[in-house]
Amino acid sequence: MIDPQAIAARFEQSGFICSPEVATSLYLSDQLGKPLLLEGPPGVGKTEIARLWAAGNDADLIRLQCYEGLDEARAIYEWSYGKQMLYAQLLREKVGDVLSGAGDLKSAMGALRGQADEFFSRDFLLARPLLAAITSERPVVLLVDEVDRSDEEFEAFLLELLSDYQVSIPELGTIKARHRPRVVLTSNDTRELSDALRRRCLYLYIDFPSFDDEVRIVRSRVPGVSEEMASRIVKFVQRLRSAGEARRSPGIAETLDWARALAAVGAAGLTTESLRQTLGALIKNHEDLDRVLKDRSHRS
Amino acid sequence: MIEALQRFVATLRQAGVRVSPAEMIDAARAVQSMGVERRDAFRAALKTTLCKTRDASAVFDRAFDRFFRDAAGTPGAAARPAGGDPATPGGRRRRPRPPEDDEPGPGSLPTTGEARGEERGRRRPARLRVLTPRAPHGRAASPAAGQVPQPPRRVIPPRRAGTSSRPRPKAPAPAARAGIIDPRRVDLSVPLSTAQERAVAKEVPRLLREIRLRAGRRLGRAPSGRLWTARVLRGNLGTGGAPFVLTFRRRRPRRPRALVLVDVSWSVMSASTFFLHMARAFLDARATGPRTSIHFFVDRCVEATSLVARWKGPGEVPLARLLEGMPDLDPKAASDYGRAFYQALRSRRGAGRAAGRDTILVVLGDARSNHRDPQAWAFEELASRCRRVLWLNPEPFARWNTGDSDLSEYLPFCDVVCEASDLEGIARGVSEIARSC
């Protein structure tokens, strides 16, 4: 079992600046066997943490993207109706052979009872991400992404899985996990999650990074950007976030995209022209874009 | 150590953080696993196990710093609480020393509610002025400015002929002449007498009875629900399993939520009694009931569900007295719809949290924003999260979009907008919403 420092070092090798809180939470999630709920604004690297955690543990990443209307048939399991129908046809053809030796109804029933009930067996079960995660032969990291987008009913489906790492299928019984999966849930905090779900998880809120941390991230992920340019970029982005005017605050991924775009056009500074050329990588709304450009032209 | 942890958890609970015994056990296991040598690791271990919300995290940060302040930077003693650890072997058990005057005591820890207040402060839309290029009259020069806004799906003007701004002269109905008040014809834009108020209060809940939540678009396309395989197979045994008769599992329709935003500024004070009854009716309605969230706003938006729930009805304290219990809201402030909607949308505990695909958003107000930025985009986003949007305006139809009214900015995002001058008009508006839900 690797300790928090080792986790942070592995993340940094992949270019992810890992705070001690993130490393400790991942370590404790492993130690205590509890899912980790990551909450925070979009674009702060919640999904990336799960991805890197899977890579660092040589585990498969199984991702369940949540959305409104997601139900157990799409998230846990579903019966393969087509295969079941084919099987019914097959039975019809073969049932005569099975019952040929039976003289009366009682012996026919006995002969049928001797046949395995394959109709609701694992052969006809389509495993969706949650079931796939707990039946996997290899260690896995299960990422339940943007769980706040799902319905409240779906949260209830998750409870059994998150507390006992098992799934109950009425026709088959309870399926327990072969290897306890590492589970990461992410939420953009657009709706309140239930207490029951929160209490089954370790919790970590990830906010936008500090100025110094974000400069470090830009410098490590976009090597072509100078220290001074990285500082200017981050200062601009952080001012945009703190103004609170933008419909959507740019995340770290957008900061990196913008830094790459500026490097690609060979911008030496944040001039009106370079902003006009590259700001689309940072701001994804035309009203925000117009507002920022107008503000920039007024200042200059 | 366990005793110190228990005392720390008790401190958190006093500050409003709900910590269950299971979480305390998790915290003990986490500390056992991480050790207490490194303060940051010890802190992170407690935080990730004891706090389940961002508000709780804010309370934790301050509580931890004070509770374990003596141990800062002391290797091997990170878990020693302030005033000595009573659990230390050989150590003298004593109560933690009382806080001095200049330091906050345990009772002054930020409660989760105060933490929310800090959040509100951080996201004050007043800061928008920094970057907003404004037109000469002070309104934001958004791309939408100057464009003719799209009308809402349904605007319900009053049924009477003409659109005069004056209150309509009402011919005394036979019932009125006989001393019986017809609640549907009471003029709601003026202060009501007690008898009128009682009549209106009795009538308002009836308006909401029609509201039902019908199947959404996805379910609407498949009104019969999902295929019920087990039933299909059982029902088609006679045909060898070939599915001649299909059985579908119906999904139970859900009850709608209501998100009611009530303007409580002075400009609409004359209609305040009716607003209060309307909000209360949503709270009492069988359809919405406990799934109702009520927010009052002037230049900021504050949750008032529990306040309205405590309000008994006609004859009780008027709205002005009720608002005295809401120090965060100043009814004498100039109303600012843009700021209120922005806050409702972005505040962590704001009205936006109650918005969802089964939510009916009801706005009670005149949309007069004192020439401030209407921030229609914020309302658009709030409205887009909801199933239906109903706006009840107490002003006469002829005065809509005049002067400092920003109603035209918000109209495109409403499903039904109606004049709330009498219950008859409102009933038509609610019926319209109920039909399209």
Side-chain angles (χ1 to χ4, degrees):
Chain A
M1 187 70 66
I2 54 174
D3 60 8
Q5 287 83 10
I7 292 175
R10 279 192 186 178
F11 272 55
E12 292 210 14
Q13 277 173 7
S14 308
F16 189 94
I17 309 297
C18 182
S19 70
E21 284 194 341
V22 172
T24 305
S25 299
L26 290 174
Y27 172 74
L28 285 176
S29 174
D30 235 1
Q31 283 281 309
L32 305 184
K34 298 203 87 171
L36 177 61
L37 171 61
L38 299 175
E39 208 167 52
V44 292
K46 301 183 292 291
T47 306
E48 188 69 3
I49 287 173
R51 207 175 59 76
L52 291 176
W53 201 26
N57 286 294
D58 191 25
D60 296 333
L61 178 72
I62 297 182
R63 177 173 175 168
L64 173 66
Q65 175 65 51
C66 296
Y67 54 87
E68 273 189 10
L70 177 66
D71 57 8
E72 74 272 28
R74 300 250 176 348
I76 304 177
Y77 71 94
E78 195 172 14
W79 292 107
S80 176
Y81 305 128
K83 273 174 84 175
Q84 282 178 328
M85 289 302 168
L86 280 174
Y87 182 67
Q89 292 294 327
L90 205 67
L91 275 183
R92 196 177 150 205
E93 290 167 11
K94 299 290 178 191
V95 76
D97 300 340
V98 173
L99 301 181
S100 57
D104 56 0
L105 185 62
K106 193 174 179 184
S107 54
M109 289 298 290
L112 274 180
R113 208 173 291 128
Q115 302 296 315
D117 182 12
E118 293 292 326
F119 215 78
F120 287 107
S121 67
R122 293 199 183 195
D123 293 338
F124 298 102
L125 199 63
L126 293 177
R128 301 298 187 198
L130 298 185
L131 186 60
I134 65 167
T135 53
S136 172
E137 297 288 349
R138 274 176 48 76
V140 296
V141 171
L142 171 64
L143 169 63
V144 184
D145 213 4
E146 301 187 345
V147 69
D148 52 330
R149 283 175 183 258
S150 66
D151 301 320
E152 287 163 18
E153 292 88 339
F154 179 71
E155 279 183 34
F157 291 130
L158 282 179
L159 296 181
E160 183 187 9
L161 178 88
L162 298 183
S163 54
D164 300 326
Y165 296 104
Q166 64 180 35
V167 166
S168 294
I169 300 175
E171 295 86 352
L172 294 182
T174 302
I175 299 178
K176 284 188 179 289
R178 294 179 185 179
H179 303 282
R180 185 180 56 74
R182 298 175 172 91
V183 184
V184 178
L185 298 98
T186 71
S187 162
N188 289 334
D189 200 18
T190 56
R191 100 174 148 77
E192 195 72 57
L193 299 176
S194 69
D195 275 356
L197 183 70
R198 286 179 183 276
R199 291 195 184 286
R200 280 164 174 78
C201 305
L202 300 182
Y203 174 82
L204 182 65
Y205 186 86
I206 304 178
D207 211 341
F208 289 115
S210 64
F211 178 81
D212 291 338
D213 283 348
E214 197 161 4
V215 170
R216 273 179 69 202
I217 293 168
V218 172
R219 292 278 291 151
S220 69
R221 300 292 282 263
V222 192
V225 174
S226 68
E227 176 84 34
E228 189 194 346
M229 189 65 177
S231 300
R232 282 189 192 179
I233 290 170
V234 172
K235 195 174 171 187
F236 185 94
V237 172
Q238 297 218 338
R239 201 175 61 193
L240 203 63
R241 283 182 199 141
S242 62
E245 190 177 32
R247 284 197 182 196
R248 189 181 162 278
S249 293
I252 300 169
E254 277 127 348
T255 309
L256 294 174
D257 285 346
W258 189 40
R260 287 189 192 107
L262 284 166
V265 298
L270 300 184
T271 61
T272 308
E273 187 53 34
S274 64
L275 286 184
R276 203 174 290 281
Q277 287 174 334
T278 59
L279 213 52
L282 181 71
I283 299 173
K284 309 294 169 67
N285 177 278
H286 77 97
E287 287 176 19
D288 291 343
L289 202 59
D290 286 350
R291 195 178 295 129
V292 171
L293 287 173
K294 273 180 194 166
D295 179 58
R296 190 73 188 181
S297 58
H298 285 173
R299 285 174 184 223
S300 58
Chain B
M1 183 59 231
I2 293 297
E3 200 175 326
L5 186 60
Q6 276 177 337
R7 285 174 48 236
F8 179 60
V9 167
T11 309
L12 285 179
R13 285 174 179 157
Q14 273 180 2
V17 179
R18 293 197 302 171
V19 182
S20 68
E23 283 157 356
M24 206 176 128
I25 293 168
D26 284 343
R29 288 174 61 200
V31 171
Q32 194 179 22
S33 173
M34 295 297 299
V36 294
E37 286 76 25
R38 290 185 51 237
R39 185 180 169 83
D40 59 342
F42 174 66
R43 180 195 188 108
L46 287 185
K47 190 173 178 179
T48 196
T49 48
L50 294 177
C51 302
K52 305 294 179 185
T53 63
R54 194 181 174 190
D55 293 341
S57 302
V59 177
F60 175 92
D61 286 339
R62 288 188 57 182
F64 183 90
D65 286 340
R66 192 160 60 251
F67 197 87
F68 297 105
R69 64 181 175 275
D70 286 356
T74 311
R80 187 186 307 146
D85 185 356
T88 306
R92 190 163 61 92
R93 279 177 187 270
R94 55 177 173 156
R95 299 173 72 82
R97 65 181 174 85
E100 293 162 11
D101 289 339
D102 59 343
E103 70 175 315
S108 64
L109 281 173
T111 61
T112 49
E114 284 167 346
R116 290 197 292 273
E118 285 171 13
E119 175 66 18
R120 275 197 294 272
R122 267 204 300 281
R123 300 196 176 193
R124 282 179 57 178
R127 295 165 79 174
L128 299 183
R129 283 199 294 269
V130 179
L131 284 180
T132 309
R134 286 178 182 276
H137 56 280
R139 203 172 284 207
S142 67
Q147 293 174 4
V148 179
Q150 294 297 310
R153 287 175 204 158
R154 190 94 168 90
V155 176
I156 300 187
R159 195 168 270 185
R160 62 182 178 269
T163 52
S164 165
S165 62
R166 286 180 286 113
R168 59 178 163 167
K170 287 183 179 170
R177 281 198 297 273
I180 302 167
I181 298 167
D182 180 0
R184 296 217 165 203
R185 293 196 170 274
V186 170
D187 188 354
L188 299 170
S189 58
V190 296
L192 307 179
S193 68
T194 308
Q196 284 175 324
E197 193 185 336
R198 284 184 199 284
V200 168
K202 209 170 168 185
E203 186 65 17
V204 166
R206 290 183 193 159
L207 302 179
L208 307 182
R209 283 185 191 161
E210 290 184 59
I211 293 181
R212 300 269 191 285
L213 199 65
R214 294 180 189 174
R217 268 180 302 175
R218 191 169 55 83
L219 290 174
R221 281 200 295 271
S224 303
R226 288 176 43 224
L227 191 69
W228 199 343
T229 319
R231 281 278 175 91
V232 169
L233 294 173
R234 207 179 307 151
N236 290 284
L237 284 176
T239 55
F244 282 102
V245 182
L246 298 181
T247 312
F248 292 89
R249 193 195 295 262
R250 285 183 184 278
R251 188 169 173 171
R252 233 176 27 180
R254 291 192 298 182
R255 286 158 62 184
R257 293 170 188 272
L259 170 58
V260 188
L261 303 181
V262 187
D263 181 358
V264 290
S265 62
W266 280 111
S267 64
V268 291
M269 200 46 92
S270 57
S272 63
T273 310
F274 159 68
F275 280 0
L276 211 50
H277 281 296
M278 198 75 192
R280 179 67 204 225
F282 270 102
L283 209 55
D284 293 339
R286 188 183 293 175
T288 52
R291 295 158 67 87
T292 297
S293 180
I294 299 167
H295 296 253
F296 287 173
F297 69 92
V298 182
D299 59 341
R300 56 172 54 200
C301 199
V302 178
E303 171 138 29
T305 313
S306 57
L307 203 72
V308 175
R310 287 200 299 272
W311 185 65
K312 295 281 192 299
E316 276 294 308
V317 291
L319 183 63
R321 285 269 304 283
L322 208 61
L323 291 177
E324 287 171 11
M326 303 181 73
D328 290 345
L329 205 62
D330 178 13
K332 292 175 187 166
S335 40
D336 186 344
Y337 276 63
R339 187 179 170 193
F341 288 144
Y342 179 89
Q343 194 198 23
L345 183 71
R346 287 290 157 90
S347 174
R348 269 186 46 76
R349 295 280 169 179
R353 306 282 304 216
R357 62 178 178 157
D358 52 355
T359 305
I360 298 168
L361 170 63
V362 182
V363 186
L364 305 171
D366 59 1
R368 295 202 174 270
S369 244
N370 296 293
H371 299 290
R372 307 268 172 81
D373 182 357
Q375 304 208 58
W377 66 267
F379 183 71
E380 180 190 3
E381 198 167 326
L382 196 62
S384 68
R385 289 188 193 174
C386 299
R387 192 181 188 91
R388 290 286 177 270
V389 182
L390 168 67
W391 190 304
L392 302 179
N393 190 342
E395 287 191 334
F397 185 60
R399 288 183 59 197
W400 292 8
N401 305 320
T402 60
D404 61 347
S405 171
D406 285 322
L407 193 59
S408 62
E409 300 279 343
Y410 303 125
L411 281 183
F413 317 117
C414 299
D415 292 291
V416 177
V417 183
C418 64
E419 183 186 316
S421 60
D422 59 18
L423 289 185
E424 206 171 335
I426 295 168
R428 286 159 57 207
V430 171
S431 300
E432 196 73 31
I433 282 287
R435 265 202 299 277
S436 62
C437 256

